[in-house]
Amino acid sequence: MQKYEKGINRVGASRLQLIGNALQVPISYFFDDMPDDAGEASANPEARLHAEIRRFATSDEGIELFRVFIRIEDATVRKRALGVLKALAEGAE
């Protein structure tokens, strides 16, 4: 356990998903209130984007979206799916 706490060993995404399922918490639970890569709240737009991506990628919805999206083999279909998502996002604003 100490190796995981100190960061010597990393927990893979699939193992983290299993742990979250066992504890009945979303993956994002393990990342709440984490500092960004610089160790502090950054005004750097790129650092904020990376933190935002990290939060989404570890959420239940993000994981599900990634899993579903990568199963789409046809590039044209993937492009259309992105178009639909963009249209939905613009409609929500």
Side-chain angles (χ1 to χ4, degrees), residues 5-91:
E5 289 174 350
K6 293 182 179 192
I8 296 169
N9 287 358
R10 294 182 181 212
V11 177
S14 60
R15 175 138 346 238
L16 193 58
Q17 179 71 47
L18 291 172
I19 293 168
N21 290 344
L23 297 174
Q24 297 179 344
V25 296
I27 297 266
S28 59
Y29 170 83
F30 300 110
F31 297 95
D32 288 344
D33 301 324
M34 282 192 62
D36 64 14
D37 291 337
E40 59 189 34
S42 176
N44 179 344
E46 188 174 329
R48 282 197 315 264
L49 177 62
H50 286 255
E52 186 178 321
I53 291 169
R54 192 171 42 250
R55 278 191 302 276
F56 175 71
T58 57
S59 70
D60 290 339
E61 295 88 0
I63 291 169
E64 185 174 4
L65 180 63
F66 289 145
R67 286 182 176 159
V68 170
F69 192 78
I70 61 173
R71 289 187 1 223
I72 302 171
E73 295 180 8
D74 187 320
T76 303
V77 174
R78 281 196 306 269
K79 189 177 257 188
R80 288 180 182 162
L82 284 174
V84 169
L85 290 173
K86 288 177 183 179
L88 289 170
E90 289 172 5

